[in-house]
């Protein structure tokens, strides 16, 4: 059973307890806020220029102060007391991390909401989805690299073609080659108004202009 949250020690003279914002130091509140934002201990350490072990120690201290059984409960208690913000203002955060999901599974097991078999199945599923997402990200990056390489090849071919037509026009002094160059210029100018072809159009016109200057 979860122990009741103690907002702060009572005054030795029976006075009112300290305000909520004094339960945790500013440093500990920073750590708890980053944990609420979905950061791992390693990433929190990087943000605050601390070692991962230091962050682990501070998280343990936070849980003791807030009478929390685990990280997720510490975040929930901290939010309830107004020490941190969840999903509001500058502290919006995305989907839960793998670490957060594992913590929730372990917590459900301890409270008897999940059996060991169910917990292990959930952990396997979480790991599978995390691996699949990483694979999808890699595949998307590879596809993007292939597309960029193809576009560069097309732009290079267009520039070479422009050089060839310009050379033909210069050698013949007009005629069909000059007419072909005119058509290329018109086409490149139209490309400049098409987002997918804008860079190719700019490159072709630049090449033609440079050749004229030469």
């Amino acid at each position: 059973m979860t122990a009741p949250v103690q907002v702060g020690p009572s005054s030795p003279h029976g006075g009112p307890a300290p305000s909520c914002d004094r339960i945790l130091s500013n440093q500990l509140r920073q750590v708890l806020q980053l944990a609420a934002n979905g950061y791992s201990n390693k990433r929190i350490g990087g943000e605050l220029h601390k070692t991962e072990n230091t962050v682990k120690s501070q998280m343990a201290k936070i849980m003791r102060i807030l009478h929390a059984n685990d990280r997720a409960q510490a975040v929930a208690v901290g939010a309830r007391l107004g020490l941190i913000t969840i999903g509001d203002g500058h502290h919006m955060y995305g989907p839960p991390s793998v670490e957060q999901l594992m913590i929730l599974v372990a917590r459900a097991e301890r409270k008897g909401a999940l059996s060991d078999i169910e917990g292990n199945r959930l952990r396997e599923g979480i790991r599978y989805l995390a691996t699949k997402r990483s694979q999808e990200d890699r595949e998307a990056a590879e596809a993007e690299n292939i597309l960029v390489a193809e576009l560069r090849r097309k732009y290079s071919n267009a520039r070479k073609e422009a050089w060839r037509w310009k050379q033909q026009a210069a050698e013949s002094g007009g005629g069909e080659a000059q007419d072909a160059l005119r058509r290329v210029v018109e086409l490149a100018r139209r490309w400049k108004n098409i987002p997918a072809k804008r860079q190719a159009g700019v490159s072709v016109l630049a090449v033609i202009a440079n050749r004229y200057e030469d």
Side-chain angles (χ1 to χ4, degrees):
M1 181 175 180
T2 304
V5 176
Q6 182 176 340
V7 174
S10 300
S11 168
H13 302 292
S19 61
C20 288
D21 61 358
R22 296 183 60 187
I23 297 174
L24 299 178
S25 66
N26 288 335
Q27 189 176 80
L28 293 181
R29 289 176 69 178
Q30 283 183 320
V31 171
L32 186 58
Q33 180 63 68
L34 291 175
N37 291 352
Y39 287 28
S40 64
N41 287 339
K42 184 176 182 179
R43 188 175 176 189
I44 293 173
E47 289 286 329
L48 302 180
H49 307 291
K50 301 176 184 297
T51 65
E52 186 174 358
N53 286 335
T54 297
V55 174
K56 288 181 180 179
S57 176
Q58 289 178 325
M59 282 300 306
K61 184 176 181 180
I62 290 169
M63 287 187 282
R64 286 197 303 273
I65 294 173
L66 299 182
H67 298 276
N69 295 327
D70 52 39
R71 184 191 188 99
Q73 188 180 17
V75 167
V77 172
R80 189 163 69 247
L81 294 177
L83 301 173
I84 57 173
T85 310
I86 297 181
D88 185 29
H90 298 293
H91 301 299
M92 291 292 292
Y93 60 95
S97 65
V98 173
E99 180 181 10
Q100 288 177 311
L101 291 173
M102 293 298 188
I103 289 173
L104 291 174
V105 171
R107 182 180 179 187
E109 286 177 328
R110 286 198 300 273
K111 292 183 176 296
L114 289 175
S115 66
D116 290 343
I117 294 177
E118 291 171 330
N120 288 334
R121 285 179 178 173
L122 277 175
R123 275 186 280 269
E124 289 177 3
I126 291 169
R127 293 190 190 99
Y128 169 75
L129 290 176
T131 302
K132 184 177 180 181
R133 178 60 185 271
S134 298
Q135 179 63 27
E136 289 175 349
D137 290 343
R138 286 194 296 271
E139 291 174 355
E142 291 174 0
E144 183 176 348
N145 290 336
I146 292 173
L147 177 60
V148 169
E150 178 65 14
L151 288 174
R152 286 176 177 170
R153 184 186 65 79
K154 290 181 178 179
Y155 296 158
S156 177
N157 290 342
R159 293 178 65 181
K160 291 176 181 178
E161 192 69 7
W163 286 334
R164 184 175 65 81
W165 284 334
K166 175 64 177 69
Q167 186 64 30
Q168 289 178 354
E171 291 174 354
S172 64
E176 293 181 0
Q178 187 65 39
D179 187 54
L181 179 62
R182 178 182 58 78
R183 291 198 301 270
V184 169
V185 171
E186 291 177 355
L187 179 61
R189 286 174 178 167
R190 288 200 298 271
W191 281 1
K192 288 177 64 178
N193 297 320
I194 303 174
K197 297 182 178 181
R198 183 177 294 122
Q199 185 59 48
V202 171
S203 298
V204 170
L205 291 174
V207 169
I208 293 174
N210 290 338
R211 298 295 290 185
Y212 270 125
E213 291 174 0
D214 296 340

